[in-house]
Amino acid sequence: MDLKKHIFDIPDFPSPGIIFRDITPLLQNRETFSYTVDLLAEKIKDLNPTHVVAIESRGFMFGAPLAYKLGLGFVPVRKEGKLPRESISASYDLEYGSNTLEIHTDALKPGDKVVIVDDVLATGGTMKATVELCEKLGAKVEALLFVIELLALEGREKLAGKKVISLVQY
Ligand SMILES: O=P(O)(O)OC[C@H]1O[C@H](OP(=O)(O)OP(=O)(O)O)[C@H](O)[C@@H]1O
Ligand SMILES: Nc1ncnc2[nH]cnc12
Protein backbone atom coordinates (compact mmCIF):
# COMPACT_ATOMS: atom_id res chain seq x y z
CA MET A 1 0.00 0.00 0.00
CA ASP A 2 1.34 3.46 -0.94
CA LEU A 3 0.74 5.55 2.19
CA LYS A 4 1.93 8.73 0.48
CA LYS A 5 -1.20 8.67 -1.68
CA HIS A 6 -3.18 9.18 1.55
CA ILE A 7 -1.00 11.95 2.99
CA PHE A 8 -1.85 15.30 1.40
CA ASP A 9 0.70 18.10 0.88
CA ILE A 10 -0.64 21.49 1.95
CA PRO A 11 1.62 24.39 0.93
CA ASP A 12 2.06 27.39 3.27
CA PHE A 13 0.29 25.84 6.27
CA PRO A 14 0.39 26.81 9.11
CA SER A 15 2.81 29.50 7.92
CA PRO A 16 4.43 30.58 4.62
CA GLY A 17 7.13 28.21 3.32
CA ILE A 18 5.97 25.13 5.26
CA ILE A 19 4.61 22.13 3.31
CA PHE A 20 2.22 20.58 5.82
CA ARG A 21 1.87 16.77 5.54
CA ASP A 22 -1.78 16.15 6.32
CA ILE A 23 -2.50 12.67 7.71
CA THR A 24 -6.27 13.07 8.02
CA PRO A 25 -6.97 11.28 4.68
CA LEU A 26 -4.94 8.32 5.93
CA LEU A 27 -6.88 8.26 9.22
CA GLN A 28 -10.34 8.53 7.70
CA ASN A 29 -9.87 5.53 5.39
CA ARG A 30 -10.33 2.29 7.37
CA GLU A 31 -7.90 0.27 5.20
CA THR A 32 -5.05 2.77 5.39
CA PHE A 33 -5.56 3.48 9.10
CA SER A 34 -5.47 -0.17 10.12
CA TYR A 35 -2.62 -0.91 7.68
CA THR A 36 -0.55 1.91 9.22
CA VAL A 37 -1.16 0.81 12.83
CA ASP A 38 -0.40 -2.82 11.90
CA LEU A 39 2.85 -1.77 10.23
CA LEU A 40 3.89 0.27 13.28
CA ALA A 41 3.16 -2.76 15.48
CA GLU A 42 5.22 -5.02 13.21
CA LYS A 43 8.23 -2.69 13.50
CA ILE A 44 8.36 -2.75 17.32
CA LYS A 45 6.85 -6.03 18.49
CA ASP A 46 10.23 -7.77 18.87
CA LEU A 47 11.50 -5.00 21.17
CA ASN A 48 9.10 -6.19 23.89
CA PRO A 49 8.26 -2.73 25.24
CA THR A 50 6.12 -2.28 28.35
CA HIS A 51 4.55 1.03 27.25
CA VAL A 52 3.78 3.14 24.23
CA VAL A 53 4.42 6.82 24.91
CA ALA A 54 2.71 9.18 22.47
CA ILE A 55 2.92 12.92 21.92
CA GLU A 56 -0.10 15.25 21.85
CA SER A 57 -1.96 15.50 19.66
CA ARG A 58 -1.31 13.68 16.43
CA GLY A 59 0.90 11.11 18.14
CA PHE A 60 -2.15 9.99 20.14
CA MET A 61 -3.94 9.03 16.91
CA PHE A 62 -1.39 6.30 16.26
CA GLY A 63 -0.05 5.63 19.76
CA ALA A 64 -3.32 4.66 21.41
CA PRO A 65 -4.39 2.03 18.83
CA LEU A 66 -0.81 0.74 18.73
CA ALA A 67 -0.73 0.22 22.51
CA TYR A 68 -4.13 -1.47 22.39
CA LYS A 69 -3.07 -3.77 19.56
CA LEU A 70 0.09 -4.89 21.38
CA GLY A 71 -1.57 -5.06 24.80
CA LEU A 72 0.70 -2.37 26.28
CA GLY A 73 0.21 0.56 28.62
CA PHE A 74 -0.34 3.96 27.03
CA VAL A 75 1.36 7.09 28.36
CA PRO A 76 0.37 10.53 27.02
CA VAL A 77 2.93 13.32 26.79
CA ARG A 78 0.88 16.52 26.75
CA LYS A 79 1.28 20.19 25.95
CA GLU A 80 1.86 22.47 28.96
CA GLY A 81 -0.90 22.85 31.53
CA LYS A 82 -3.08 19.91 30.50
CA LEU A 83 -2.03 17.18 32.95
CA PRO A 84 -3.85 17.32 36.30
CA ARG A 85 -1.25 15.81 38.64
CA GLU A 86 2.46 16.25 39.49
CA SER A 87 4.40 16.43 36.24
CA ILE A 88 7.83 17.21 34.82
CA SER A 89 8.32 19.36 31.74
CA ALA A 90 10.73 20.00 28.86
CA SER A 91 10.79 22.85 26.33
CA TYR A 92 11.78 22.62 22.68
CA ASP A 93 11.70 24.33 19.27
CA LEU A 94 9.82 22.92 16.28
CA GLU A 95 9.59 23.66 12.53
CA TYR A 96 7.07 26.45 13.13
CA GLY A 97 7.42 27.67 16.71
CA SER A 98 8.30 26.50 20.22
CA ASN A 99 6.50 24.56 22.92
CA THR A 100 6.62 22.83 26.31
CA LEU A 101 5.70 19.18 26.91
CA GLU A 102 4.82 17.45 30.17
CA ILE A 103 4.49 13.92 31.56
CA HIS A 104 3.06 12.76 34.88
CA THR A 105 5.86 11.98 37.33
CA ASP A 106 4.37 8.56 38.11
CA ALA A 107 3.73 7.62 34.46
CA LEU A 108 6.98 5.62 34.11
CA LYS A 109 9.58 4.13 36.42
CA PRO A 110 12.98 2.40 36.23
CA GLY A 111 12.55 -0.98 34.51
CA ASP A 112 9.95 0.27 32.06
CA LYS A 113 10.84 -0.08 28.38
CA VAL A 114 9.14 2.38 26.09
CA VAL A 115 8.56 3.05 22.43
CA ILE A 116 7.70 6.68 21.68
CA VAL A 117 5.33 7.38 18.79
CA ASP A 118 4.56 10.52 16.81
CA ASP A 119 3.12 11.24 13.38
CA VAL A 120 5.95 13.40 11.99
CA LEU A 121 9.71 13.69 12.52
CA ALA A 122 10.63 17.22 11.40
CA THR A 123 13.46 18.96 13.30
CA GLY A 124 13.33 16.32 16.03
CA GLY A 125 12.87 18.83 18.85
CA THR A 126 9.55 17.41 20.00
CA MET A 127 10.86 13.86 20.15
CA LYS A 128 14.15 14.87 21.79
CA ALA A 129 12.22 16.60 24.60
CA THR A 130 10.03 13.51 25.00
CA VAL A 131 13.04 11.20 25.21
CA GLU A 132 14.43 13.44 27.96
CA LEU A 133 11.17 13.25 29.91
CA CYS A 134 11.01 9.43 29.70
CA GLU A 135 14.66 9.03 30.69
CA LYS A 136 14.29 11.48 33.59
CA LEU A 137 11.67 9.10 35.00
CA GLY A 138 14.10 6.19 34.62
CA ALA A 139 12.51 4.41 31.64
CA LYS A 140 14.59 2.84 28.87
CA VAL A 141 13.76 4.23 25.43
CA GLU A 142 13.83 1.28 23.02
CA ALA A 143 12.76 3.01 19.80
CA LEU A 144 11.34 6.19 18.29
CA LEU A 145 8.57 5.51 15.83
CA PHE A 146 7.14 7.90 13.21
CA VAL A 147 4.71 7.59 10.36
CA ILE A 148 6.45 10.40 8.39
CA GLU A 149 10.08 11.56 8.32
CA LEU A 150 10.99 14.91 6.71
CA LEU A 151 14.56 14.12 5.65
CA ALA A 152 15.66 17.69 4.80
CA LEU A 153 15.20 18.79 8.40
CA GLU A 154 17.68 16.15 9.65
CA GLY A 155 15.72 15.38 12.80
CA ARG A 156 17.31 11.94 12.93
CA GLU A 157 20.66 13.59 13.72
CA LYS A 158 19.17 15.27 16.80
CA LEU A 159 18.12 11.79 17.97
CA ALA A 160 21.55 10.18 17.48
CA GLY A 161 22.08 7.04 19.53
CA LYS A 162 18.43 6.02 19.42
CA LYS A 163 16.73 3.54 17.11
CA VAL A 164 14.65 5.74 14.76
CA ILE A 165 12.00 4.07 12.58
CA SER A 166 9.79 5.86 10.02
CA LEU A 167 7.24 4.43 7.60
CA VAL A 168 7.45 7.04 4.81
CA GLN A 169 10.09 9.60 3.98
CA TYR A 170 9.96 12.91 2.09
O1 LIG B 1 10.24 17.30 14.78
P1 LIG B 1 9.62 18.59 15.22
O2 LIG B 1 10.21 19.77 14.48
O3 LIG B 1 9.69 18.79 16.69
O4 LIG B 1 8.10 18.59 14.78
C1 LIG B 1 7.26 17.48 14.84
C2 LIG B 1 6.06 17.74 15.67
O5 LIG B 1 5.27 18.79 15.10
C3 LIG B 1 3.91 18.39 15.05
O6 LIG B 1 3.22 18.65 16.22
P2 LIG B 1 2.52 20.03 16.63
O7 LIG B 1 3.36 20.66 17.70
O8 LIG B 1 2.27 20.84 15.40
O9 LIG B 1 1.20 19.57 17.35
P3 LIG B 1 -0.10 18.72 17.01
O10 LIG B 1 0.31 17.27 16.93
O11 LIG B 1 -0.95 18.99 18.20
O12 LIG B 1 -0.70 19.20 15.71
C4 LIG B 1 4.00 16.89 14.86
O13 LIG B 1 2.80 16.25 15.22
C5 LIG B 1 5.16 16.52 15.73
O14 LIG B 1 4.76 16.31 17.07
N1 LIG C 1 5.71 19.88 7.66
C1 LIG C 1 4.97 19.34 8.62
N2 LIG C 1 3.81 18.71 8.33
C2 LIG C 1 3.06 18.16 9.32
N3 LIG C 1 3.42 18.17 10.60
C3 LIG C 1 4.56 18.77 10.93
N4 LIG C 1 5.17 18.93 12.11
C4 LIG C 1 6.30 19.63 11.91
N5 LIG C 1 6.47 19.90 10.61
C5 LIG C 1 5.39 19.39 9.97
Side-chain angles (χ1 to χ4, degrees), residues 102-115:
E102 296 183 337
I103 190 169
H104 273 142
T105 311
D106 65 1
L108 297 168
K109 58 183 185 318
D112 289 337
K113 296 201 303 178
V114 305
V115 168

mmCIF file with all atom_site columns, all heavy atoms in Angstrom, residues 102-115:
data_model
loop_
_atom_site.group_PDB
_atom_site.id
_atom_site.type_symbol
_atom_site.label_atom_id
_atom_site.label_alt_id
_atom_site.label_comp_id
_atom_site.label_asym_id
_atom_site.label_entity_id
_atom_site.label_seq_id
_atom_site.pdbx_PDB_ins_code
_atom_site.Cartn_x
_atom_site.Cartn_y
_atom_site.Cartn_z
_atom_site.occupancy
_atom_site.B_iso_or_equiv
_atom_site.pdbx_formal_charge
_atom_site.auth_seq_id
_atom_site.auth_comp_id
_atom_site.auth_asym_id
_atom_site.auth_atom_id
_atom_site.pdbx_PDB_model_num
ATOM 1   N N   . GLU A 1 102 ? 4.825  17.940 28.788 1.00 0.00 ? 102 GLU A N   1
ATOM 2   C CA  . GLU A 1 102 ? 4.819  17.448 30.169 1.00 0.00 ? 102 GLU A CA  1
ATOM 3   C C   . GLU A 1 102 ? 4.412  15.970 30.235 1.00 0.00 ? 102 GLU A C   1
ATOM 4   O O   . GLU A 1 102 ? 3.661  15.478 29.376 1.00 0.00 ? 102 GLU A O   1
ATOM 5   C CB  . GLU A 1 102 ? 3.846  18.284 31.010 1.00 0.00 ? 102 GLU A CB  1
ATOM 6   C CG  . GLU A 1 102 ? 4.281  19.733 31.106 1.00 0.00 ? 102 GLU A CG  1
ATOM 7   C CD  . GLU A 1 102 ? 3.402  20.605 31.996 1.00 0.00 ? 102 GLU A CD  1
ATOM 8   O OE1 . GLU A 1 102 ? 2.227  20.258 32.216 1.00 0.00 ? 102 GLU A OE1 1
ATOM 9   O OE2 . GLU A 1 102 ? 3.917  21.627 32.464 1.00 0.00 ? 102 GLU A OE2 1
ATOM 10  N N   . ILE A 1 103 ? 4.869  15.315 31.291 1.00 0.00 ? 103 ILE A N   1
ATOM 11  C CA  . ILE A 1 103 ? 4.485  13.918 31.555 1.00 0.00 ? 103 ILE A CA  1
ATOM 12  C C   . ILE A 1 103 ? 4.247  13.788 33.061 1.00 0.00 ? 103 ILE A C   1
ATOM 13  O O   . ILE A 1 103 ? 4.937  14.446 33.860 1.00 0.00 ? 103 ILE A O   1
ATOM 14  C CB  . ILE A 1 103 ? 5.605  12.960 31.066 1.00 0.00 ? 103 ILE A CB  1
ATOM 15  C CG1 . ILE A 1 103 ? 5.156  11.498 31.090 1.00 0.00 ? 103 ILE A CG1 1
ATOM 16  C CG2 . ILE A 1 103 ? 6.877  13.124 31.901 1.00 0.00 ? 103 ILE A CG2 1
ATOM 17  C CD1 . ILE A 1 103 ? 6.142  10.551 30.373 1.00 0.00 ? 103 ILE A CD1 1
ATOM 18  N N   . HIS A 1 104 ? 3.285  12.991 33.447 1.00 0.00 ? 104 HIS A N   1
ATOM 19  C CA  . HIS A 1 104 ? 3.057  12.757 34.876 1.00 0.00 ? 104 HIS A CA  1
ATOM 20  C C   . HIS A 1 104 ? 4.286  12.066 35.475 1.00 0.00 ? 104 HIS A C   1
ATOM 21  O O   . HIS A 1 104 ? 4.834  11.118 34.892 1.00 0.00 ? 104 HIS A O   1
ATOM 22  C CB  . HIS A 1 104 ? 1.835  11.844 35.089 1.00 0.00 ? 104 HIS A CB  1
ATOM 23  C CG  . HIS A 1 104 ? 0.532  12.570 35.142 1.00 0.00 ? 104 HIS A CG  1
ATOM 24  N ND1 . HIS A 1 104 ? -0.633 12.075 34.596 1.00 0.00 ? 104 HIS A ND1 1
ATOM 25  C CD2 . HIS A 1 104 ? 0.186  13.765 35.715 1.00 0.00 ? 104 HIS A CD2 1
ATOM 26  C CE1 . HIS A 1 104 ? -1.623 12.924 34.822 1.00 0.00 ? 104 HIS A CE1 1
ATOM 27  N NE2 . HIS A 1 104 ? -1.153 13.949 35.485 1.00 0.00 ? 104 HIS A NE2 1
ATOM 28  N N   . THR A 1 105 ? 4.656  12.512 36.665 1.00 0.00 ? 105 THR A N   1
ATOM 29  C CA  . THR A 1 105 ? 5.857  11.984 37.331 1.00 0.00 ? 105 THR A CA  1
ATOM 30  C C   . THR A 1 105 ? 5.753  10.484 37.585 1.00 0.00 ? 105 THR A C   1
ATOM 31  O O   . THR A 1 105 ? 6.753  9.774  37.594 1.00 0.00 ? 105 THR A O   1
ATOM 32  C CB  . THR A 1 105 ? 6.058  12.730 38.675 1.00 0.00 ? 105 THR A CB  1
ATOM 33  O OG1 . THR A 1 105 ? 5.951  14.123 38.402 1.00 0.00 ? 105 THR A OG1 1
ATOM 34  C CG2 . THR A 1 105 ? 7.395  12.437 39.293 1.00 0.00 ? 105 THR A CG2 1
ATOM 35  N N   . ASP A 1 106 ? 4.527  9.995  37.813 1.00 0.00 ? 106 ASP A N   1
ATOM 36  C CA  . ASP A 1 106 ? 4.375  8.561  38.106 1.00 0.00 ? 106 ASP A CA  1
ATOM 37  C C   . ASP A 1 106 ? 4.006  7.726  36.866 1.00 0.00 ? 106 ASP A C   1
ATOM 38  O O   . ASP A 1 106 ? 3.614  6.570  36.988 1.00 0.00 ? 106 ASP A O   1
ATOM 39  C CB  . ASP A 1 106 ? 3.334  8.344  39.217 1.00 0.00 ? 106 ASP A CB  1
ATOM 40  C CG  . ASP A 1 106 ? 1.917  8.766  38.789 1.00 0.00 ? 106 ASP A CG  1
ATOM 41  O OD1 . ASP A 1 106 ? 1.744  9.205  37.625 1.00 0.00 ? 106 ASP A OD1 1
ATOM 42  O OD2 . ASP A 1 106 ? 0.994  8.648  39.615 1.00 0.00 ? 106 ASP A OD2 1
ATOM 43  N N   . ALA A 1 107 ? 4.152  8.328  35.676 1.00 0.00 ? 107 ALA A N   1
ATOM 44  C CA  . ALA A 1 107 ? 3.735  7.616  34.459 1.00 0.00 ? 107 ALA A CA  1
ATOM 45  C C   . ALA A 1 107 ? 4.683  6.465  34.108 1.00 0.00 ? 107 ALA A C   1
ATOM 46  O O   . ALA A 1 107 ? 4.258  5.451  33.545 1.00 0.00 ? 107 ALA A O   1
ATOM 47  C CB  . ALA A 1 107 ? 3.645  8.591  33.288 1.00 0.00 ? 107 ALA A CB  1
ATOM 48  N N   . LEU A 1 108 ? 5.967  6.641  34.431 1.00 0.00 ? 108 LEU A N   1
ATOM 49  C CA  . LEU A 1 108 ? 6.979  5.622  34.107 1.00 0.00 ? 108 LEU A CA  1
ATOM 50  C C   . LEU A 1 108 ? 7.933  5.495  35.276 1.00 0.00 ? 108 LEU A C   1
ATOM 51  O O   . LEU A 1 108 ? 8.080  6.415  36.078 1.00 0.00 ? 108 LEU A O   1
ATOM 52  C CB  . LEU A 1 108 ? 7.769  6.038  32.860 1.00 0.00 ? 108 LEU A CB  1
ATOM 53  C CG  . LEU A 1 108 ? 6.976  6.159  31.556 1.00 0.00 ? 108 LEU A CG  1
ATOM 54  C CD1 . LEU A 1 108 ? 7.826  6.854  30.488 1.00 0.00 ? 108 LEU A CD1 1
ATOM 55  C CD2 . LEU A 1 108 ? 6.512  4.786  31.070 1.00 0.00 ? 108 LEU A CD2 1
ATOM 56  N N   . LYS A 1 109 ? 8.619  4.340  35.328 1.00 0.00 ? 109 LYS A N   1
ATOM 57  C CA  . LYS A 1 109 ? 9.578  4.127  36.423 1.00 0.00 ? 109 LYS A CA  1
ATOM 58  C C   . LYS A 1 109 ? 10.750 3.290  35.900 1.00 0.00 ? 109 LYS A C   1
ATOM 59  O O   . LYS A 1 109 ? 10.644 2.677  34.818 1.00 0.00 ? 109 LYS A O   1
ATOM 60  C CB  . LYS A 1 109 ? 8.889  3.430  37.599 1.00 0.00 ? 109 LYS A CB  1
ATOM 61  C CG  . LYS A 1 109 ? 8.278  2.105  37.226 1.00 0.00 ? 109 LYS A CG  1
ATOM 62  C CD  . LYS A 1 109 ? 7.544  1.478  38.397 1.00 0.00 ? 109 LYS A CD  1
ATOM 63  C CE  . LYS A 1 109 ? 7.040  0.080  38.060 1.00 0.00 ? 109 LYS A CE  1
ATOM 64  N NZ  . LYS A 1 109 ? 6.454  -0.099 36.715 1.00 0.00 ? 109 LYS A NZ  1
ATOM 65  N N   . PRO A 1 110 ? 11.858 3.228  36.661 1.00 0.00 ? 110 PRO A N   1
ATOM 66  C CA  . PRO A 1 110 ? 12.979 2.401  36.229 1.00 0.00 ? 110 PRO A CA  1
ATOM 67  C C   . PRO A 1 110 ? 12.502 0.965  35.976 1.00 0.00 ? 110 PRO A C   1
ATOM 68  O O   . PRO A 1 110 ? 11.682 0.429  36.736 1.00 0.00 ? 110 PRO A O   1
ATOM 69  C CB  . PRO A 1 110 ? 13.940 2.484  37.422 1.00 0.00 ? 110 PRO A CB  1
ATOM 70  C CG  . PRO A 1 110 ? 13.631 3.817  38.041 1.00 0.00 ? 110 PRO A CG  1
ATOM 71  C CD  . PRO A 1 110 ? 12.153 3.992  37.893 1.00 0.00 ? 110 PRO A CD  1
ATOM 72  N N   . GLY A 1 111 ? 13.001 0.367  34.890 1.00 0.00 ? 111 GLY A N   1
ATOM 73  C CA  . GLY A 1 111 ? 12.554 -0.980 34.512 1.00 0.00 ? 111 GLY A CA  1
ATOM 74  C C   . GLY A 1 111 ? 11.565 -0.962 33.360 1.00 0.00 ? 111 GLY A C   1
ATOM 75  O O   . GLY A 1 111 ? 11.426 -1.950 32.642 1.00 0.00 ? 111 GLY A O   1
ATOM 76  N N   . ASP A 1 112 ? 10.872 0.164  33.196 1.00 0.00 ? 112 ASP A N   1
ATOM 77  C CA  . ASP A 1 112 ? 9.951  0.268  32.062 1.00 0.00 ? 112 ASP A CA  1
ATOM 78  C C   . ASP A 1 112 ? 10.739 0.433  30.766 1.00 0.00 ? 112 ASP A C   1
ATOM 79  O O   . ASP A 1 112 ? 11.787 1.101  30.740 1.00 0.00 ? 112 ASP A O   1
ATOM 80  C CB  . ASP A 1 112 ? 9.002  1.464  32.245 1.00 0.00 ? 112 ASP A CB  1
ATOM 81  C CG  . ASP A 1 112 ? 7.986  1.238  33.350 1.00 0.00 ? 112 ASP A CG  1
ATOM 82  O OD1 . ASP A 1 112 ? 7.716  0.061  33.677 1.00 0.00 ? 112 ASP A OD1 1
ATOM 83  O OD2 . ASP A 1 112 ? 7.462  2.233  33.891 1.00 0.00 ? 112 ASP A OD2 1
ATOM 84  N N   . LYS A 1 113 ? 10.198 -0.167 29.700 1.00 0.00 ? 113 LYS A N   1
ATOM 85  C CA  . LYS A 1 113 ? 10.841 -0.085 28.379 1.00 0.00 ? 113 LYS A CA  1
ATOM 86  C C   . LYS A 1 113 ? 9.816  0.522  27.425 1.00 0.00 ? 113 LYS A C   1
ATOM 87  O O   . LYS A 1 113 ? 8.741  -0.063 27.231 1.00 0.00 ? 113 LYS A O   1
ATOM 88  C CB  . LYS A 1 113 ? 11.227 -1.475 27.880 1.00 0.00 ? 113 LYS A CB  1
ATOM 89  C CG  . LYS A 1 113 ? 12.263 -2.172 28.743 1.00 0.00 ? 113 LYS A CG  1
ATOM 90  C CD  . LYS A 1 113 ? 12.992 -3.278 28.000 1.00 0.00 ? 113 LYS A CD  1
ATOM 91  C CE  . LYS A 1 113 ? 12.097 -4.334 27.428 1.00 0.00 ? 113 LYS A CE  1
ATOM 92  N NZ  . LYS A 1 113 ? 12.824 -5.372 26.680 1.00 0.00 ? 113 LYS A NZ  1
ATOM 93  N N   . VAL A 1 114 ? 10.161 1.679  26.864 1.00 0.00 ? 114 VAL A N   1
ATOM 94  C CA  . VAL A 1 114 ? 9.139  2.384  26.090 1.00 0.00 ? 114 VAL A CA  1
ATOM 95  C C   . VAL A 1 114 ? 9.511  2.543  24.625 1.00 0.00 ? 114 VAL A C   1
ATOM 96  O O   . VAL A 1 114 ? 10.681 2.615  24.259 1.00 0.00 ? 114 VAL A O   1
ATOM 97  C CB  . VAL A 1 114 ? 8.834  3.782  26.692 1.00 0.00 ? 114 VAL A CB  1
ATOM 98  C CG1 . VAL A 1 114 ? 8.439  3.662  28.149 1.00 0.00 ? 114 VAL A CG1 1
ATOM 99  C CG2 . VAL A 1 114 ? 10.000 4.736  26.535 1.00 0.00 ? 114 VAL A CG2 1
ATOM 100 N N   . VAL A 1 115 ? 8.453  2.595  23.810 1.00 0.00 ? 115 VAL A N   1
ATOM 101 C CA  . VAL A 1 115 ? 8.565  3.051  22.427 1.00 0.00 ? 115 VAL A CA  1
ATOM 102 C C   . VAL A 1 115 ? 7.777  4.347  22.366 1.00 0.00 ? 115 VAL A C   1
ATOM 103 O O   . VAL A 1 115 ? 6.653  4.417  22.877 1.00 0.00 ? 115 VAL A O   1
ATOM 104 C CB  . VAL A 1 115 ? 7.980  2.005  21.465 1.00 0.00 ? 115 VAL A CB  1
ATOM 105 C CG1 . VAL A 1 115 ? 7.835  2.590  20.070 1.00 0.00 ? 115 VAL A CG1 1
ATOM 106 C CG2 . VAL A 1 115 ? 8.859  0.770  21.430 1.00 0.00 ? 115 VAL A CG2 1
#
